[in-house]
């Protein structure tokens, strides 16, 4: 979906917000000027202009103010420069204009001060004081970069460059734009533009951007229905309307094309079946092929081998191969040759039913050391297995703890486990413990033993292990489990100060950065998805909280209608 990732997200950052920060070697913090200070500096510029006009040269006092004051004064008097836009050139142009005014009845026009503190003075261009040059300032971009460094992303998402916003990081891939706009900038900008010091213009800027983020997220999910397609279209249309209202921005062909995507979603459903990433991938394969310069035979040779390879992959992934050492060695050799990178948009967005390419659970169990599970967790394990045992067959036996009454006619469940650093589910998604695999340890999950098992909870995996148990007919089951520490939800009082809950379709919220006392044991099937995690202390809450930014790209984000999304749909 280059139309959305590059044509919309990249265009919004580069062309609408004009993000292009020149990194400086100095770390000196720029102090914001209050409206009173802005008035004083404007008076100093006017006084310096008059003295310079009397002397016939640009005095040093005219180049002392920040460049923004000179630019604003020039723009307010319709003075337009060509060539080098340095502070000295603006000073020369203003001095020339003052000399011209000396022979006329006109006076130098002084721009009004802003109603808020600013580090970059500018002319108020509209009623909301929104200027493209002052939206993403150096302070804001540094805040975003700090959050990028501190945010935990799962291993299947490639981290954007730490110096985002600078030309020095080179050209960003489409997947980078998706990550930085729909994850990092959402995490960073929502608290900034909903704070007590934010203006009405900041709020409108945020709503405009959230319309775009929600639209991109809805369009690129791995499932699609008519309601979601129309919801995407409503938010995309609202984004473009507010874009025109706030910036009078000239729409480009990609904006027009975005309004036709809803037709494709209704006709062809999920974009992963018809977007251009597979074609680009094979373009790369073709470029790397060694040829014998028989140009006329290359297309036919490539198509023949392509279909042969596709047939082989389908055969391997769809066949139930015997569980013997010979066939396991064959499968491992095949996957080593045809392995794929589990990262980014291309792979995880196309979650398949292909089985994991790693060794079987039985093989892993044999190679790991035996550890005894602590008593509290062991009791939970017995309850979890008994509660969900029907999935293993109607004749699945009831289990009891190893130290239970001997008169009970149940199978005693072993308290011994084999610890793992991580486990992989079908589709190549990895979940791991915080000590061994912290990037993949932040999850949204369901507690099957709770009173509301459908409710999603935020937590962190502290332990991953394999457990082996016997069933009827001498059948042995080896199953992975995860021990999860659940984050404490915000109290009703503090939940009112959660800036993310104003936009439910973002699927982002805050929790206290502490865990409940009771640890939980869950199955891989109870895990919904990873979440991007960032810890910070909101002023209105007064203690560290963790941002929970859900990364579920399969299921429906919310049953809400557009009007309930926290945004005004125009």
């Amino acid at each position: 979906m280059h139309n959305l990732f590059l044509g919309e997200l990249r265009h919004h950052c580069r062309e609408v917000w004009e993000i292009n920060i020149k990194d400086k070697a100095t770390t000196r913090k720029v102090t914001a000027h209050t409206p009173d200070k802005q008035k004083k500096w404007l008076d100093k510029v006017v006084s310096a202009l008059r003295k310079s006009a009397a002397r016939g040269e640009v005095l040093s006092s005219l180049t002392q103010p920040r460049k923004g004051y000179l630019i604003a004064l020039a723009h307010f008097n319709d003075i337009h420069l060509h060539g080098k836009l340095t502070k000295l050139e603006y000073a020369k142009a203003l001095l020339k204009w003052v000399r011209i005014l000396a022979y006329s009845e006109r006076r130098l026009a002084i721009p009004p001060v802003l109603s808020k503190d600013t580090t970059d003075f500018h002319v108020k261009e509209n009623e909301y004081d929104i200027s493209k040059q002052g939206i993403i300032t150096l302070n804001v971009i540094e805040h975003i970069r700090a959050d990028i460094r501190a945010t935990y992303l799962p291993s299947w998402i490639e981290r954007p460059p730490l110096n985002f916003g600078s030309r020095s990081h080179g050209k960003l891939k489409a997947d980078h734009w998706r990550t930085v706009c729909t994850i990092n900038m959402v995490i960073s900008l929502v608290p900034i533009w909903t704070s007590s010091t934010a203006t009405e213009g900041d709020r409108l800027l945020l709503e405009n951007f959230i319309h775009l983020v929600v639209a991109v997220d809805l369009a690129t999910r791995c499932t699609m229905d008519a309601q979601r397609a129309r919801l995407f279209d409503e938010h995309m249309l609202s984004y473009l309307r507010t874009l025109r209202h706030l910036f009078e921005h000239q729409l480009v062909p990609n904006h027009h094309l975005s309004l036709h995507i809803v037709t494709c979603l209704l006709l062809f459903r999920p974009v992963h079946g018809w977007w251009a990433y597979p074609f680009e991938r094979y373009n790369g394969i073709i470029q790397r092929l060694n040829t014998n310069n028989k140009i006329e035979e290359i297309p036919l040779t490539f198509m023949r081998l392509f279909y042969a390879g596709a047939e082989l992959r389908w055969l391997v992934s769809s066949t139930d191969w015997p569980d013997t050492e010979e066939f396991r060695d064959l499968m491992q050799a095949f996957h080593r040759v045809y392995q794929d990178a589990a990262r980014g948009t291309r792979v995880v967005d196309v979650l398949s039913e292909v089985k994991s390419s790693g060794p079987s659970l039985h093989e892993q169990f044999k190679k790991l050391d035996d550890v005894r599970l602590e008593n509290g967790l062991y009791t939970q394990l017995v309850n979890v297995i008994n509660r969900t045992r029907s999935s293993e067959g109607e004749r699945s036996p009831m289990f009891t703890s190893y130290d239970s009454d001997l008169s009970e006619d149940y199978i005693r469940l072993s308290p011994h486990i084999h610890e793992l650093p991580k486990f992989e589910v079908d589709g190549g998604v990895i979940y791991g413990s915080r000590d061994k695999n912290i990037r993949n340890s932040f999850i949204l999950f369901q507690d099957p033993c709770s009173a509301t098992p459908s409710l999603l909870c935020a937590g962190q995996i502290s332990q991953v292990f394999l457990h082996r148990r016997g069933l009827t007919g001498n059948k042995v089951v080896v199953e992975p489990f995860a021990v999860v520490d659940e984050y404490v939800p915000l109290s009703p009082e503090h939940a009112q100060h959660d800036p993310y809950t104003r936009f439910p379709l973002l699927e982002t919220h805050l929790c206290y950065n502490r865990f409940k006392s009771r640890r939980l044991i869950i199955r891989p099937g109870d895990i919904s998805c990873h979440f991007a995690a960032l810890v910070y202390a909101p002023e209105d809450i007064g203690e560290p909280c963790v941002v929970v930014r859900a990364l579920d790209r399969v299921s429906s984000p919310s049953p809400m209608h557009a009007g309930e999304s926290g945004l005004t749909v125009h």
Side-chain angles (χ1 to χ4, degrees):
M1 293 296 289
H2 281 63
N3 171 260
L4 294 178
F5 299 158
L6 297 180
E8 296 287 0
L9 295 177
R10 180 187 179 280
H11 179 88
H12 190 86
C13 291
R14 289 295 195 196
E15 306 302 329
V16 179
W17 286 352
E18 296 185 356
I19 297 179
N20 183 21
I21 303 296
K22 294 182 179 179
D23 295 318
K24 301 178 181 179
T26 178
T27 57
R28 182 174 61 88
K29 187 175 181 180
V30 180
T31 305
H33 283 178
T34 63
D36 288 339
K37 279 192 175 182
Q38 296 169 26
K39 178 69 168 58
K40 290 180 180 179
W41 277 106
L42 284 172
D43 291 342
K44 287 183 180 181
V45 173
V46 174
S47 175
L49 277 172
R50 289 170 179 166
K51 291 179 180 179
S52 296
R55 293 278 190 91
E57 60 180 352
V58 177
L59 299 179
S60 60
S61 58
L62 189 54
T63 57
Q64 288 178 357
R66 292 176 182 175
K67 186 178 178 180
Y69 291 101
L70 300 180
I71 295 175
L73 202 58
H75 288 178
F76 205 65
N77 287 272
D78 292 326
I79 301 173
H80 303 285
L81 270 66
H82 302 283
K84 295 181 180 181
L85 304 180
T86 62
K87 185 189 290 188
L88 180 60
E89 293 302 319
Y90 275 107
K92 290 179 179 178
L94 285 169
L95 181 57
K96 182 179 179 180
W97 180 246
V98 169
R99 289 172 178 170
I100 294 174
L101 293 180
Y103 299 98
S104 68
E105 296 181 356
R106 296 177 60 185
R107 301 183 62 183
L108 184 68
I110 311 300
V113 299
L114 303 177
S115 59
K116 61 180 181 179
D117 296 357
T118 182
T119 58
D120 184 20
F121 185 80
H122 55 274
V123 176
K124 185 175 179 179
E125 296 184 0
N126 49 50
E127 59 179 311
Y128 306 114
D129 187 20
I130 295 175
S131 172
K132 289 185 178 182
Q133 291 81 11
I135 294 176
I136 305 298
T137 62
L138 180 60
N139 290 339
V140 173
I141 206 71
E142 286 179 348
H143 182 87
I144 294 173
R145 290 172 179 176
D147 286 350
I148 290 175
R149 286 191 292 270
T151 300
Y152 287 101
L153 296 175
S155 57
W156 54 269
I157 293 183
E158 188 174 359
R159 187 186 298 275
L162 299 181
N163 62 337
F164 170 74
S166 171
R167 290 186 177 181
S168 60
H169 58 56
K171 182 180 179 181
L172 297 186
K173 297 185 294 185
D175 206 45
H176 282 143
W177 285 110
R178 180 187 194 177
T179 300
V180 76
C181 291
T182 64
I183 300 176
N184 299 112
M185 296 184 80
V186 165
I187 290 175
S188 299
L189 294 179
V190 169
I192 295 176
W193 286 346
T194 58
S195 66
S196 57
T197 59
T199 64
E200 178 67 10
D202 294 333
R203 184 186 66 80
L204 293 173
L205 284 171
L206 180 62
E207 287 193 359
N208 171 250
F209 181 61
I210 296 301
H211 275 305
L212 176 59
V213 170
V214 169
V216 171
D217 179 65
L218 290 170
T220 54
R221 296 250 169 169
C222 293
T223 57
M224 183 58 59
D225 55 36
Q227 180 183 3
R228 189 180 302 174
R230 293 190 177 95
L231 189 57
F232 153 79
D233 193 49
E234 290 174 3
H235 281 281
M236 180 56 69
L237 187 59
S238 294
Y239 163 69
L240 295 177
R241 282 175 172 168
T242 53
L243 185 69
R244 289 284 299 160
H245 175 66
L246 295 177
F247 299 101
E248 298 183 0
H249 187 74
Q250 183 66 40
L251 300 185
V252 297
N254 272 315
H255 292 142
H256 173 80
L257 293 174
S258 297
L259 298 178
H260 290 282
I261 291 178
V262 62
T263 304
C264 298
L265 293 175
L266 292 171
L267 289 174
F268 310 120
R269 297 308 166 103
V271 297
H272 308 85
W274 45 272
W275 66 6
Y277 284 109
F279 301 99
E280 292 195 355
R281 182 183 180 191
Y282 280 104
N283 284 339
I285 293 174
I286 294 172
Q287 291 173 353
R288 293 190 297 270
L289 283 178
N290 293 323
T291 67
N292 56 5
N293 294 321
K294 294 184 178 180
I295 305 300
E296 67 280 359
E297 298 180 15
I298 288 179
L300 186 60
T301 301
F302 177 75
M303 291 300 295
R304 184 172 64 252
L305 295 178
F306 168 80
Y307 283 113
E311 187 75 15
L312 179 61
R313 286 174 181 267
W314 176 85
L315 179 65
V316 170
S317 62
S318 61
T319 302
D320 188 13
W321 300 98
D323 189 16
T324 64
E325 185 176 354
E326 292 79 10
F327 278 97
R328 285 196 294 269
D329 292 341
L330 173 64
M331 291 298 99
Q332 290 181 26
F334 176 83
H335 289 300
R336 278 196 299 270
V337 173
Y338 293 101
Q339 64 182 342
D340 204 351
R343 60 190 294 181
T345 298
R346 179 171 51 84
V347 173
V348 181
D349 278 352
V350 201
L351 292 174
S352 64
E353 296 299 324
V354 178
K355 297 178 182 179
S356 171
S357 61
S360 69
L361 295 178
H362 290 273
E363 291 176 330
Q364 295 183 62
F365 189 87
K366 295 175 184 178
K367 298 176 182 179
L368 298 171
D369 295 331
D370 196 73
V371 179
R372 187 186 179 94
L373 195 62
E374 61 181 75
N375 290 336
L377 292 176
Y378 172 66
T379 302
Q380 274 198 62
L381 180 64
V382 175
N383 293 334
V384 168
I385 291 177
N386 283 333
R387 180 179 289 266
T388 56
R389 65 192 179 93
S390 60
S391 63
E392 297 168 354
E394 295 181 359
R395 297 183 179 180
S396 174
M398 178 73 79
F399 294 93
T400 187
S401 61
Y402 70 96
D403 58 353
S404 61
D405 192 338
L406 294 176
S407 62
E408 295 185 9
D409 190 21
Y410 299 130
I411 297 177
R412 280 159 177 75
L413 195 70
S414 171
H416 295 92
I417 61 172
H418 289 187
E419 288 187 312
L420 290 170
K422 60 185 178 181
F423 64 86
E424 182 179 336
V425 299
D426 289 343
V429 180
I430 295 173
Y431 297 99
S433 64
R434 62 168 161 257
D435 293 333
K436 303 292 181 63
N437 202 267
I438 190 170
R439 289 184 63 183
N440 295 309
S441 65
F442 299 93
I443 60 168
L444 289 172
F445 68 96
Q446 296 172 319
D447 180 6
C449 298
S450 71
T452 53
S454 61
L455 181 66
L456 282 181
C457 308
Q460 188 178 24
I461 299 174
S462 61
Q463 186 181 14
V464 176
F465 65 85
L466 293 177
H467 182 269
R468 183 169 62 182
R469 63 185 182 276
L471 301 178
T472 56
N474 296 323
K475 184 179 179 181
V476 177
V477 173
V478 176
E479 185 178 7
F481 293 89
V483 180
V484 179
D485 293 315
E486 182 183 352
Y487 284 103
V488 178
L490 296 184
S491 66
E493 178 186 359
H494 285 163
Q496 298 176 6
H497 301 293
D498 185 346
Y500 301 99
T501 54
R502 305 181 189 188
F503 311 104
L505 287 183
L506 285 180
E507 291 189 285
T508 306
H509 66 278
L510 293 176
C511 291
Y512 296 117
N513 189 34
R514 45 188 166 89
F515 301 116
K516 293 184 177 181
S517 57
R518 180 172 175 264
R519 303 166 73 194
L520 303 173
I521 288 184
I522 62 173
R523 282 182 157 106
D526 298 323
I527 300 176
S528 173
C529 62
H530 288 107
F531 70 82
L534 172 71
V535 176
Y536 84 105
E539 293 182 2
D540 296 329
I541 295 178
E543 70 170 278
C545 294
V546 60
V547 180
V548 179
R549 173 74 171 106
L551 300 176
D552 185 0
R553 293 180 176 176
V554 180
S555 59
S556 177
S558 172
M560 297 179 182
H561 298 289
E564 300 171 314
S565 66
L567 295 169
T568 302
V569 179
H570 300 274

